[in-house]
């Protein structure tokens, strides 16, 4: 299923994208909101034709409510590590984004004061659906509720020139668009075979595949669970391929448009205002 939250900021309603015609349907009569601990099996039994159609093009919000932690993996694509001039890590490089960075997939992003190095990073996002503590890699994917397209937007000067604490460069308002929808885990047979890409002002900048990850999704989940209890509603951003602005000496400014996508998970469009 492709699940969405639609409507004005702070007043989003649950919905799904009908497989047949791609139209938006209202799920309000069947659930209060889209959450990681929702009983997705009950929703799978619904006939989309029986659900109210949502006409027009309403705003899409963050596809999941009540997100807990946003955990991120750095230098997780071989080509991206190479473009930064850094060695491949022996273990996953872990950092986080503040939840205040969360945004809908097409929300505009106001250029923050004090940065001149705003950058893009298309990523596969993983939503944890049930608690995980010190689990084995073989069991890790059973803890996944679904997957989303993500953009790990970064102020590189804040990240790298203000004491080396990555979270400071990763957490501005709008720095973590998710969506357009949550695709439930049953629809993604192999999270390690998904093409992903970025375009800025219509020019392709990133063109990679999750098969090139240093550490795959199952490895990442198991690794994190050995150091912190993962909970339903936690989101993991799994890294970005080569082609980020930092590696090119190119950065975003007001009026630029970023579009990012992951195969099967949809595309985002973000205007820098």
């Amino acid at each position: 299923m492709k699940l969405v939250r639609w409507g004005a900021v702070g007043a989003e309603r649950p919905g799904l994208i009908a497989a047949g015609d791609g139209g938006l349907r209202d799920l309000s009569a069947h659930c209060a909101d889209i959450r990681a601990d929702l009983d997705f099996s009950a929703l799978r039994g619904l006939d989309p034709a029986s659900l109210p159609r949502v006409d027009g093009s309403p705003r899409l919000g963050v596809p999941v409510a009540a997100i807990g932690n946003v955990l991120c993996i750095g230098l997780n694509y071989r080509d991206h590590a190479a473009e930064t001039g850094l060695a491949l890590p022996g273990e996953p490089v872990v950092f986080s984004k503040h939840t205040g960075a969360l945004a809908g997939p097409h929300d505009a992003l106001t250029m923050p004061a004090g940065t001149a190095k705003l950058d893009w990073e298309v990523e596969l996002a993983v939503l944890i659906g049930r608690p995980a503590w010190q689990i084995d890699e073989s069991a890790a994917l059973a803890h996944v509720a679904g997957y989303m397209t993500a953009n790990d937007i970064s102020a590189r000067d804040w990240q790298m020139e203000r004491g080396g604490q990555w979270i400071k460069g990763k957490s501005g308002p709008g720095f973590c668009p998710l969506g357009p929808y949550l695709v439930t885990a049953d629809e993604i047979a192999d999270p390690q075979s998904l093409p992903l890409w970025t375009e800025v002002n219509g020019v392709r900048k990133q063109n990679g595949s999750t098969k090139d990850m240093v550490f795959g999704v199952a490895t990442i989940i198991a690794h994190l669970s050995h150091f912190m209890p993962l909970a339903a509603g936690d989101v993991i951003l799994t890294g970005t391929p080569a082609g980020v602005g930092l590696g090119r000496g190119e950065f975003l400014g007001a009026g630029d448009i970023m579009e990012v996508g992951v195969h099967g998970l949809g595309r985002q469009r973000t205007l820098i205002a």
Side-chain angles (χ1 to χ4, degrees):
M1 289 182 298
K2 293 181 173 68
L3 300 172
V4 301
R5 298 173 67 245
W6 59 277
V9 176
E12 292 90 347
R13 300 174 66 174
L16 66 77
I17 303 299
D21 60 14
L24 175 58
R25 303 291 195 273
D26 187 3
L27 281 175
S28 298
H30 299 275
C31 61
D33 211 337
I34 305 298
R35 297 173 55 101
D37 56 2
L38 189 64
D39 181 5
F40 295 138
S41 63
L43 298 182
R44 288 190 193 97
L46 298 174
D47 178 6
S50 70
L51 301 172
R53 180 185 293 272
V54 180
D55 295 323
S57 300
R59 171 189 172 270
L60 296 180
V62 179
V64 184
I67 289 175
N69 299 293
V70 181
L71 303 168
C72 309
I73 307 300
L75 300 175
N76 198 36
Y77 283 71
R78 293 171 178 84
D79 56 359
H80 176 53
E83 75 176 344
T84 63
L86 298 172
L88 292 179
E91 291 192 358
V93 175
V94 182
F95 63 97
S96 63
K97 292 173 83 80
H98 192 283
T99 53
L102 294 168
H106 310 307
D107 291 347
L109 188 159
T110 300
M111 184 78 178
T115 178
K117 295 183 179 180
L118 198 64
D119 201 352
W120 56 84
E121 289 193 11
V122 63
E123 307 210 8
L124 170 66
V126 179
L127 176 68
I128 298 298
R130 61 189 182 93
W133 170 240
Q134 297 190 337
I135 61 171
D136 292 333
E137 186 174 328
S138 61
L141 294 185
H143 292 259
V144 175
Y147 300 92
M148 297 171 283
T149 298
N151 190 353
D152 177 18
I153 297 169
S154 307
R156 298 298 190 186
D157 37 9
W158 293 355
Q159 175 189 355
M160 304 174 76
E161 300 167 19
R162 298 297 300 271
Q165 298 175 46
W166 287 15
I167 189 172
K168 294 192 296 189
K170 301 281 189 171
S171 299
F175 279 25
C176 190
L178 293 178
Y181 28 73
L182 169 71
V183 178
T184 51
D186 60 296
E187 294 202 3
I188 304 298
D190 181 7
Q192 303 308 145
S193 63
L194 303 176
L196 66 172
W197 52 268
T198 296
E199 292 181 355
V200 178
N201 300 327
V203 177
R204 185 64 58 103
K205 300 294 186 180
Q206 292 184 278
N207 201 26
S209 171
T210 58
K211 70 182 179 183
D212 296 323
M213 285 182 181
V214 179
F215 305 103
V217 172
T219 301
I220 291 168
I221 294 171
H223 179 80
L224 291 174
S225 81
H226 279 266
F227 302 98
M228 61 196 79
L230 300 176
D234 287 346
V235 170
I236 303 169
L237 273 57
T238 55
T240 197
V244 299
L246 179 65
R248 298 168 176 262
E250 301 173 5
F251 299 102
L252 298 160
D256 287 336
I257 295 173
M258 284 181 292
E259 295 184 86
V260 305
V262 180
H263 180 73
L265 305 182
R267 62 191 292 160
Q268 303 176 359
R269 181 183 187 277
T270 302
L271 168 68
I272 308 300

